[in-house]
Amino acid sequence: MAPPFDISGLDDVIHGRVRLGIVAYLATAEVADFTELKDLLDVTQGNLSVHLRKLEEAGYVAIDKSFVGRKPLTRARLTEAGRAAFARYLKAMGQLVEQAGGAG
């Protein structure tokens, strides 16, 4: 019997379609505004808010709120902790893919 897959490196905070999309995008874009992320990920405002809050609570994303004229502007950026967590996540996914490729 083959050893079990090691999924311990898959960060539950990142491992979700929307949160993974946010982190992956911010890893290259550096900063993105709320509307940009909402449109890119094709999610509702409420859904995006929940996922951003979870990433912010984990310390992976920093949220900056300001105004442009009278219009609110919410911008998100990946923190150093978020970058490190994303790097660990990608490494764990790579190892999992290797394990799966060797199975069977």
Side-chain angles (χ1 to χ4, degrees):
M1 186 164 163
F5 286 130
D6 180 12
I7 58 171
S8 62
L10 298 181
D11 188 324
D12 287 339
V13 175
I14 295 174
H15 193 76
R17 184 185 72 83
V18 175
R19 290 189 302 273
L20 180 57
I22 292 167
V23 171
Y25 185 71
L26 291 177
T28 57
E30 298 295 324
V31 67
D33 69 43
F34 188 88
T35 302
E36 180 182 359
L37 287 171
K38 183 178 86 57
D39 293 344
L40 176 78
L41 300 169
D42 192 27
V43 294
T44 65
Q45 289 181 340
N47 195 0
L48 181 58
S49 291
V50 167
H51 290 293
L52 281 172
R53 188 175 317 116
K54 186 160 186 149
L55 288 166
E56 184 181 32
E57 288 170 355
Y60 293 172
V61 169
I63 305 293
D64 300 310
K65 295 186 179 210
S66 62
F67 285 88
V68 176
R70 292 183 175 166
K71 188 175 179 182
L73 176 64
T74 300
R75 301 185 77 170
R77 65 179 170 75
L78 211 53
T79 63
E80 286 303 314
R83 287 189 185 286
F86 187 49
R88 287 189 304 271
Y89 178 86
L90 291 177
K91 182 178 179 183
M93 280 299 288
Q95 290 170 343
L96 187 59
V97 168
E98 284 180 24
Q99 288 174 349

